[in-house]
Amino acid sequence: MSISPKRTLILGAGFVVKPALTLLSEKGVEVTVGMINAENLCKGVKGAKPISLDVNDEAALDAEVGKVDVVVSLIPYTYHAVVIKSAIRKKVNVVTTSYISPAMKELEKEVDKAGITVMNEIGLDPGIDHLYAIKTIYEVHKDGGKIKSFLSYCGGLPAPEASNNPLGYKFSWSARGMLLALGNTARFLEDGKTREIDGKSLMASAKPYSTGFTGFAFVAYPNRDSTPFADKYAIPEAKTIIRGTLRYAGFPEFIRVLVDMGFLSQDPHDFLKPSSAPITWAEATAKILKSSSSSEQDLTWAISSKTNFHDTDEKYRILEGLRWIGLFSDTKITPRDTPLDTLCAILETKMAYEADERDLVFLQHRFEIEHKDGKTETRTSTLCEYGDPKGHSAMARLVSIPCGIAVMQVLEGKLPKGLLAPYKEEVCKLLRDELKANYGIEMVERTVA
């Protein structure tokens, strides 16, 4: 008697899903893919089938969910609860790479009642970062030590040789999400006190960050709310807990000027309506700045009146960058209602990866440890990986492979039931071991002081 193959439904995230799709196919899992461009993604992948599916159509979603053993939800996090509700109705497991949101948390009792596994936060950040944070914390606590400080920074960047633009950054998908995140308030624990930095001040808070790898000139700034990780990571003894973002030097100052100019505003303007006859970038910049004219001299004066430059060199560097983007030019804009979305239209064109360019992911934890005997240690745990221009990007691989492994472990019954994230060592070790043994993905530990 033949055993029917396991089946999975993947929803969304076409830019990062291919490594997971390949992994599942090679394991003999039949995969249905529901996303834009699903047909191209499935070409040449054994057992992969593209479909068109609207997750807001409850009946259609239930019909597809009911055919599979696991649903992988890589659509925007605001839709995860919709997918989980369908999975509860059909008693089907779920895997996501997103943080557990309040809307998802509200479904925990229903998930338990349905007897399903809903595994979350298993990509890169969140994901691999959890696996190795928990490893060190578990080992230190097991030996009677304490974590006095925990810093964790991650950056998805172009490789140094591809960082050839004023921001030192490139987009492999929508620029909007990244730019919006720069306006979020950051909250963290520092020297025993809770600190908060509002979105408008976030870029000004960025500081040079030494990773111990002197070839990289990184700056770091806090990201979202780090304070819950005292509980999630079981480190109530820690006086400092900061999780944040790495960028190349020069990025924060450039973004801060764009914010001061009003280019990250989400307020609609009549002159940016798609139905309008497109104006030039110089004219649009003048209107956003409320400049007296669209001449470059007047635009420069208007910018200088709205922002502060640390010195003349920084002023010239940033103005040159604005000129490179085209904000002073006679080129017609692609109007998208708001300054933010209109800016995104040109950034996604001018700051896209070329076919032969590779990306870089750099993730590092830094632990200040007090051992049982009172001795102290500074330990880092680092992941540095480059993409392959002829294969997968580093970001796609490091988000997708952990997700694919989690799907397999759910299918094999290795993960517990319930609403989960990788905060327990027994779960983390399963995932870590598979990542390292079969895919060469690991964070390397090093004592630095």
Side-chain angles (χ1 to χ4, degrees), residues 21 61 146 188 190 196 228 236 302 339 350 408 418:
L21 177 60
L61 179 61
K146 297 177 181 178
F188 53 93
E190 187 173 46
E196 198 167 277
K350 297 209 72 169
M408 288 306 305

Side-chain angles (χ1 to χ4, degrees), residues 431-446:
L431 294 157
R432 272 198 320 266
D433 289 351
E434 179 80 6
L435 277 170
K436 181 178 177 179
N438 294 327
Y439 300 95
I441 296 171
E442 65 173 322
M443 295 183 72
V444 177
E445 294 181 350
R446 181 182 173 209

Side-chain angles (χ1 to χ4, degrees), residues 77-150:
Y77 77 94
T78 50
Y79 291 98
H80 289 330
V82 173
V83 175
I84 294 170
K85 286 176 183 177
S86 177
I88 289 168
R89 289 191 292 270
K90 294 297 180 179
K91 291 185 168 50
V92 169
N93 303 299
V94 180
V95 173
T96 85
T97 58
S98 301
Y99 289 103
I100 296 175
S101 68
M104 295 158 72
K105 186 69 176 175
E106 286 177 5
L107 299 172
E108 187 166 16
K109 288 184 179 178
E110 294 179 56
V111 167
D112 291 340
K113 188 176 178 181
I116 62 174
T117 298
V118 179
M119 180 66 179
N120 306 281
E121 303 185 28
I122 188 58
L124 167 64
D125 175 10
I128 295 173
D129 57 345
H130 293 337
L131 305 184
Y132 281 87
I134 295 297
K135 176 183 184 292
T136 298
I137 291 165
Y138 174 80
E139 290 171 354
V140 169
H141 283 172
K142 186 179 178 184
D143 290 340
K146 297 177 181 178
I147 303 294
K148 306 302 289 183
S149 171
F150 173 74

Side-chain angles (χ1 to χ4, degrees), residues 10 14 17-18 21 31-45 48-52:
I10 297 179
V17 76
K18 190 62 179 280
L21 177 60
V31 185
T32 301
V33 182
M35 65 179 72
I36 297 171
N37 205 30
E39 286 191 12
N40 286 338
L41 195 67
C42 292
K43 281 181 182 175
V45 181
K49 181 182 75 171
I51 62 166
S52 177

Side-chain angles (χ1 to χ4, degrees), residues 101-321:
S101 68
M104 295 158 72
K105 186 69 176 175
E106 286 177 5
L107 299 172
E108 187 166 16
K109 288 184 179 178
E110 294 179 56
V111 167
D112 291 340
K113 188 176 178 181
I116 62 174
T117 298
V118 179
M119 180 66 179
N120 306 281
E121 303 185 28
I122 188 58
L124 167 64
D125 175 10
I128 295 173
D129 57 345
H130 293 337
L131 305 184
Y132 281 87
I134 295 297
K135 176 183 184 292
T136 298
I137 291 165
Y138 174 80
E139 290 171 354
V140 169
H141 283 172
K142 186 179 178 184
D143 290 340
K146 297 177 181 178
I147 303 294
K148 306 302 289 183
S149 171
F150 173 74
L151 306 179
S152 178
Y153 291 102
C154 185
L157 299 157
E161 74 276 8
S163 61
N164 53 351
N165 65 50
L167 280 169
Y169 193 85
K170 291 191 175 177
F171 300 100
S172 54
W173 55 72
S174 169
R176 193 175 202 273
M178 187 279 279
L179 292 175
L180 280 178
L182 300 176
N184 292 337
T185 295
R187 198 163 177 261
F188 53 93
L189 189 67
E190 187 173 46
D191 297 329
K193 295 179 181 179
T194 298
R195 291 194 56 203
E196 198 167 277
I197 301 175
D198 65 66
K200 289 184 178 179
S201 305
L202 188 61
M203 290 298 97
S205 77
K207 297 175 182 176
Y209 186 74
S210 174
T211 61
F213 294 81
T214 55
F216 292 114
F218 288 134
V219 293
Y221 53 89
N223 182 13
R224 304 194 191 190
D225 188 357
S226 300
T227 58
F229 286 88
D231 179 54
K232 290 180 177 181
Y233 284 173
I235 46 173
E237 73 272 23
K239 299 298 184 185
T240 296
I241 301 175
I242 304 174
R243 301 172 81 247
T245 300
L246 292 175
R247 292 288 181 257
Y248 289 128
F251 177 93
E253 296 85 353
F254 201 98
I255 292 292
R256 177 179 53 78
V257 171
L258 288 174
V259 171
D260 292 345
M261 290 172 67
F263 267 104
L264 267 61
S265 168
Q266 298 181 70
D267 296 332
H269 293 284
D270 287 342
F271 63 87
L272 298 178
K273 284 184 176 178
S275 57
S276 304
I279 58 177
T280 67
W281 265 109
E283 291 168 332
T285 301
K287 288 178 181 292
I288 291 167
L289 287 170
K290 297 181 170 57
S291 170
S292 58
S293 84
S294 61
S295 72
E296 185 168 327
Q297 184 179 42
D298 284 344
L299 293 177
T300 299
W301 284 342
I303 292 166
S304 298
S305 72
K306 287 183 175 291
T307 194
N308 294 310
F309 299 103
H310 292 146
D311 52 43
T312 302
D313 284 347
E314 180 182 280
K315 177 178 178 179
Y316 287 148
R317 177 178 66 81
I318 291 175
L319 289 174
E320 183 179 335

Side-chain angles (χ1 to χ4, degrees), residues 326-376:
L327 300 191
F328 306 151
S329 74
D330 291 331
T331 303
K332 300 288 186 181
I333 65 170
T334 301
R336 290 186 179 175
D337 288 317
T338 71
L340 171 67
D341 292 300
T342 304
L343 177 66
C344 286
I346 193 168
L347 293 184
E348 288 166 9
T349 299
K350 297 209 72 169
M351 295 170 60
Y353 282 94
E354 299 292 336
D356 60 345
E357 291 180 335
R358 58 182 184 160
D359 69 326
L360 162 72
V361 166
F362 196 99
L363 166 64
Q364 186 178 81
H365 300 326
R366 187 179 186 92
F367 306 88
E368 299 295 339
I369 300 166
E370 182 182 300
H371 291 288
K372 186 178 180 179
D373 61 3
K375 291 181 180 178
T376 60

